[in-house]
Amino acid sequence: MDDIERRLTEAGETWRDGQAEPPSVDVLLRGIERPAGRRSLRWIATATAVAAVVIVGAVVLGPRLGDLRTGSDPTDEPGVLHLVNVDGPDVVISIGGQVVADLPCGSSRELAASDSLPPLPWALEVRAADGEVIGTPTIEGPLPEGLLVRERIVLTQPWPMRIGPAPDNPNAPCEGPALPSSSPSPTEPPISAEAIDGDYRLVFELAKQVWTTDESIIGEARLERGGASGWSVWGSGAGPIAFGLSEVGGPRQVGPAYRLDCAMHLAEDSRGLIAPLSKSGGWSEDDPLGPFYRGFLADPFYRLPRGDWEITAFAGFSEGGCGRTSHDLQATLRIRVVEADSTSGQEPAHAGASDGLFRLVFDAPKTTWTTEESVSAAALIEYDGAESLTVAGSGGGLIGFGAVELGGTRRFARVGQDDCSFYELSGGQPLISGLRKSSGGWRDTDPNAEFYRSFMADPLYRLPPGDWEITSYAEFYEGECGGTIHRLQTTIVFHVVPGVSP
Amino acid sequence: MEQDATGSIAAATPEAFGAWVRPHLAAIARLAGRLAPEGDRDDVIQEALTRAWSKWSQFDPSRGSPSAWLLAITADQARRARRRVRPWPLFDSPARVRSIDDRLDLEYAISRLPTRQRLAVDCFYFAALSVAETAAVMGCAEGTVKSTLSDARARLKTLLEFGDG
C-alpha cells in the first residue's frame, strides 16, 4: 500500500467513525408508509430556512429624493405599498378606475391596504400627466412592496427597494423627454442589492435594470468579508455563489443548481470572491415549461424573454472545512426585459475553429449593435470524447477575448491570469464564457487613453461607432499545465452604429 | 414481492421490504452521508428507500445484487437532493482525518479531482463500498473503477506533493 492509499484508507476510516447511526429500518418504513407527511416536513424546514434569511436592504435615492431615504424594517410596515417616483413624469395611480394617489416627479407616497381600497391583488394603472399609460403593474401581495417610477418605466420591487442613484443628467429633469418604452435609458445606472450574515456581505450588481431581449444580461456577485483578503470558505466546487431566476407574475423559475463536490475557495484580494452572472438549473422532461428551460439553459447568452424577472444571487458556504459553520445569503434584483425592436431581423453571427480534438465556437445574437447596447457574445469549448477529460489553463478561465478597431488605432489585448487551474471537459457539456473585457493596460500619453479608461470603467460592453473585430481565444493544456498545448482562436466582425436605432 | 439471496419471492409488504433492505442499510447510510447535502443524509436515505419500495417489483436479481441496486438509487437521490437545494459539502465530520493539516490537504486535494475520480474515491475509500458496488454507483465496469481509482491516486499524489497551481 503506497502512502496515498494509506492516507485515503485512514481518512475513510476516520470519517466513518464520525458518522451518526442511520435511522432504524422500522422508522424508515414508517416514512415509506407516509411519504406525503415526511415530505411536508422538508418543505416546512425549507420555508423556515428561507424565512430566516435576513435580506438587508436600504433605499438609496438620488439627491432629489434624499429625504425619502428609509432603512426601516419591512416587517414594521405591513400592508403598505410604497410608491416612489424618482425621475419620471408626474403620474396618477388608479385601481379599477379609482384614482388612489398622485405621484409627482421626485416624490413618494404610501398606499395602505384599507377599507377604502379593494382587496389584493391590485391591478394598478400608472398614467402620466400627458395622458399616456406608462405602466399597469399588478400587486399581488403580500405587502409591503415597492413601486418605482424611473423616467417612463414602472417597476415593482420587494421593499425596501434598492434603486441606485438617479441618472446624473441635467437634461433629463423630472418632466424630461419620454423615451420609447422599448428602449433602455442610455444613462441608466447599475443596480445592486446586498445581504449580510455576520462578517460576510454578499453584493449583487447588474449593469442596468432594463435590458432588451437581444442583450446578454451582465452582472456579478461578490462575497466580501470586511474588506479583508486571504480568507477562504468551502462550498460547491464551482464556487460558493450561484444564481436563480424567477419570472415576476409568472411560473418560470430556474436554479440555482450546484455542483456535487466541495472545494476550498480563497479570496485573494479585498474584493472577495467574485462570480459573474451565470445560469444553472434543471427541469423535468414532463414539465410543460421544459422547452423554455431547455432553451434558456442551452443559450450561451443570459438572455430573457420580455417581462419582469427577479434574479437572485445565492452564496452558500462553510468555514474551516466542508460541513462546519454554514452561511446562506441571498440578494435579489428585479429587472425588466423589453423587445429589441431596434435591430430586429438580424441573423445571429457564428464562427468556429477546431484542431481535431477540440472546437472553439464563437456566437453572437446579431452583428450590428448600437452605441447604447451592450455587445453580447459568447464562446465555448466543445469536446466530443466519450470520457471526460481534464485540461489545465489560466485560473481566470480558458477563454479570453481581444478587440481591434478596423481602420482605427484602438485595441484591447487578451489578458490571462498567470496561474494554472484544472477544468473538466466532457461530451455535451461545453465550457462557456461570455464576452468580457480585458486590457493589457495603456500609457497616459496614449492618445486613446481616455477612451480605454472609460471603456474599462463601463460595466457594459459598449463600443463607439465603427467596425470592431472581436476575437475569442482558447489556450489550455491536456492533463497538467506543461502538457500538450491547444490554441484556438476565431473572430467575428461587429458593426456599431450610433444611437438607439441602427 | 420479496427476493432473498436465492431470488425467491415473498409477499410485497413493507415488513418484507424492510427485511430485504436491512443488511444493506449501513452501506446506504455511508454513501448518503458522503454524497448528500449537509444535514440531508437521512432524508436521502428515506427518499432512496421510498423510491426503491415503489420500484421493488422491477428489481431483477440477474442484473445485479440488491446492494448495488439500492446504492445506485441512493446515489441518484443524493444527486437530486444536491440539485434541489444548496451546495453542500461532501465531508460533514470534523473528525474524518487525523490532523488539521492533513485533513485540509487531503480534503482540498480530493476536491480538486475530476468528478468521476472524486466519486470513485468517495465510494471506495469513504463509503467503503466494494469495487463492484462502486461500479454500480458509477454505472461502469469494475475495471473502469480500478483504473479510475488508480488515476485518482496518481492525481492526488501530484496535488499533495506539488499543489495544483
Side-chain angles (χ1 to χ4, degrees):
Chain A
M1 180 183 292
D2 66 18
D3 181 58
I4 295 297
E5 180 141 30
R6 179 184 56 75
R7 288 176 69 176
L8 283 167
T9 302
E10 290 179 3
E13 288 170 355
T14 310
W15 178 82
R16 289 191 295 278
D17 288 346
Q19 291 295 292
E21 286 294 315
S24 74
V25 169
D26 293 337
V27 170
L28 292 166
L29 288 179
R30 284 201 293 274
I32 287 173
E33 291 167 302
R34 291 188 299 277
R38 197 205 61 74
R39 214 171 280 277
S40 68
L41 289 177
R42 166 184 285 280
W43 288 109
I44 290 168
T46 303
T48 304
V50 170
V53 170
V54 178
I55 300 177
V56 176
V59 172
V60 179
L61 300 174
R64 285 173 293 179
L65 294 172
D67 57 328
L68 300 179
R69 176 186 295 274
T70 173
S72 57
D73 182 343
T75 59
D76 291 337
E77 303 173 289
V80 172
L81 175 65
H82 297 264
L83 311 170
V84 179
N85 184 345
V86 178
D87 48 15
D90 295 351
V91 298
V92 292
I93 297 173
S94 308
I95 302 175
Q98 174 192 353
V99 175
V100 293
D102 65 333
L103 193 65
C105 178
S107 69
S108 71
R109 300 277 187 276
E110 291 181 357
L111 200 57
S114 66
D115 292 339
S116 61
L117 294 176
L120 291 169
W122 292 338
L124 300 181
E125 180 187 271
V126 182
R127 184 182 294 272
D130 60 10
E132 183 189 353
V133 176
I134 62 171
T136 55
T138 299
I139 306 297
E140 296 183 340
L143 300 176
E145 199 168 337
L147 183 144
L148 177 68
V149 181
R150 298 295 305 256
E151 298 193 340
R152 294 179 84 86
I153 294 169
V154 179
L155 293 165
T156 57
Q157 296 199 340
W159 183 263
M161 292 188 286
R162 187 172 178 85
I163 58 178
D168 183 18
N169 182 357
N171 297 319
C174 286
E175 294 77 22
L179 289 172
S181 60
S182 61
S183 300
S185 163
T187 56
E188 193 180 357
I191 55 173
S192 68
E194 66 181 36
I196 294 174
D197 179 6
D199 292 340
Y200 295 99
R201 177 169 174 252
L202 176 67
V203 180
F204 179 30
E205 293 179 336
L206 293 175
K208 55 183 181 176
Q209 190 158 39
V210 181
W211 301 80
T212 71
T213 49
D214 271 350
E215 288 180 302
S216 190
I217 295 165
I218 296 172
E220 69 175 26
R222 295 191 307 277
L223 183 62
E224 303 170 345
R225 191 171 164 182
S229 60
W231 50 272
S232 62
V233 296
W234 295 72
S236 169
I241 298 172
F243 300 90
L245 172 71
S246 177
E247 181 180 22
V248 177
R252 293 178 283 194
Q253 293 189 331
V254 186
Y258 295 88
R259 258 173 45 183
L260 194 64
D261 54 353
C262 177
M264 185 178 77
H265 301 279
L266 176 66
E268 294 183 349
D269 63 42
S270 59
R271 294 193 73 212
L273 295 168
I274 301 172
L277 176 64
S278 61
K279 295 181 279 191
S280 67
W283 72 94
S284 301
E285 285 298 333
D286 57 354
D287 190 325
L289 295 171
F292 165 76
Y293 295 131
R294 188 180 298 106
F296 173 73
L297 293 170
D299 186 349
F301 312 107
Y302 201 111
R303 288 184 296 182
L304 289 171
R306 183 175 178 277
D308 290 349
W309 299 83
E310 283 186 351
I311 303 176
T312 300
F314 296 85
F317 55 92
S318 304
E319 292 174 323
C322 292
R324 301 287 183 82
T325 306
S326 294
H327 295 269
D328 188 351
L329 296 91
Q330 299 180 25
T332 297
L333 290 170
R334 184 171 292 193
I335 63 166
R336 171 161 293 180
V337 180
V338 298
E339 287 295 341
D341 54 356
S342 62
T343 51
S344 60
Q346 288 194 56
E347 292 294 317
H350 177 86
S354 172
D355 66 359
L357 190 57
F358 302 98
R359 269 194 311 281
L360 176 65
V361 176
F362 191 20
D363 281 322
K366 59 185 182 182
T367 53
T368 300
W369 300 82
T370 74
T371 49
E372 304 303 344
E373 288 181 306
S374 182
V375 177
S376 299
L380 50 96
I381 301 171
E382 293 180 331
Y383 168 67
D384 286 337
E387 295 283 323
S388 63
L389 178 70
T390 299
V391 298
S394 167
L398 300 183
I399 298 173
F401 299 91
V404 174
E405 180 184 27
L406 294 179
T409 58
R410 295 177 281 196
R411 60 184 56 224
F412 297 97
R414 166 189 58 128
V415 177
Q417 285 178 214
D418 187 20
D419 57 2
C420 182
S421 292
F422 291 105
Y423 302 82
E424 194 169 2
L425 291 172
S426 55
Q429 291 188 315
L431 280 179
I432 300 175
S433 176
L435 175 63
R436 61 181 188 276
K437 300 174 189 177
S438 66
S439 169
W442 58 87
R443 295 179 187 277
D444 284 341
T445 54
D446 189 318
N448 295 320
E450 186 50 41
F451 164 72
Y452 292 142
R453 215 175 344 262
S454 63
F455 176 80
M456 294 304 291
D458 186 350
L460 302 174
Y461 202 110
R462 288 187 286 201
L463 289 169
D467 289 342
W468 291 82
E469 189 180 80
I470 299 181
T471 300
S472 64
Y473 301 87
E475 182 173 310
F476 53 89
Y477 300 92
E478 280 184 57
E480 313 280 341
C481 283
T484 303
I485 193 165
H486 293 265
R487 289 192 178 97
L488 296 161
Q489 68 179 69
T490 185
T491 297
I492 294 176
V493 175
F494 293 94
H495 313 288
V496 180
V497 296
V500 174
S501 299
Chain B
M1 66 168 194
E2 178 190 9
Q3 293 164 310
D4 63 15
T6 64
S8 63
I9 297 174
T13 64
E15 291 72 24
F17 178 71
W20 189 74
V21 162
R22 189 169 283 112
H24 314 295
L25 184 61
I28 290 170
R30 289 196 302 271
L31 184 65
R34 195 65 189 166
L35 301 184
E38 181 187 22
D40 276 6
R41 182 196 72 166
D42 292 352
D43 278 343
V44 166
I45 297 171
Q46 175 77 79
E47 288 175 1
L49 293 191
T50 302
R51 181 89 178 154
W53 165 243
S54 68
K55 300 283 184 186
W56 198 23
S57 61
Q58 298 171 20
F59 171 69
D60 180 354
S62 68
R63 299 178 60 186
S65 67
S67 71
W69 189 71
L70 289 165
L71 291 167
I73 291 174
T74 303
D76 183 55
Q77 291 301 321
R79 276 191 290 269
R80 288 168 187 265
R82 282 198 171 267
R83 283 193 210 109
R84 208 170 38 228
V85 281
R86 312 289 321 182
W88 293 123
L90 299 177
F91 317 114
D92 58 3
S93 167
R96 55 183 289 269
V97 285
R98 297 168 306 172
S99 70
I100 292 295
D101 288 344
D102 188 51
R103 174 181 62 81
L104 291 177
D105 284 351
L106 194 60
E107 282 185 354
Y108 184 68
I110 291 171
S111 76
R112 306 308 293 174
L113 291 175
T115 307
R116 301 281 289 174
Q117 293 181 13
R118 198 163 51 241
L119 180 60
V121 166
D122 281 332
C123 290
F124 186 77
Y125 288 106
F126 287 85
L129 306 187
S130 67
V131 170
E133 289 168 334
T134 301
V137 169
M138 295 178 64
C140 63
E142 292 183 30
T144 305
V145 171
K146 292 175 184 172
S147 63
T148 304
L149 286 169
S150 176
D151 292 345
R153 287 193 296 269
R155 170 61 64 82
L156 285 172
K157 188 169 190 294
T158 303
L159 290 170
L160 289 166
E161 287 179 358
F162 304 110
D164 66 350

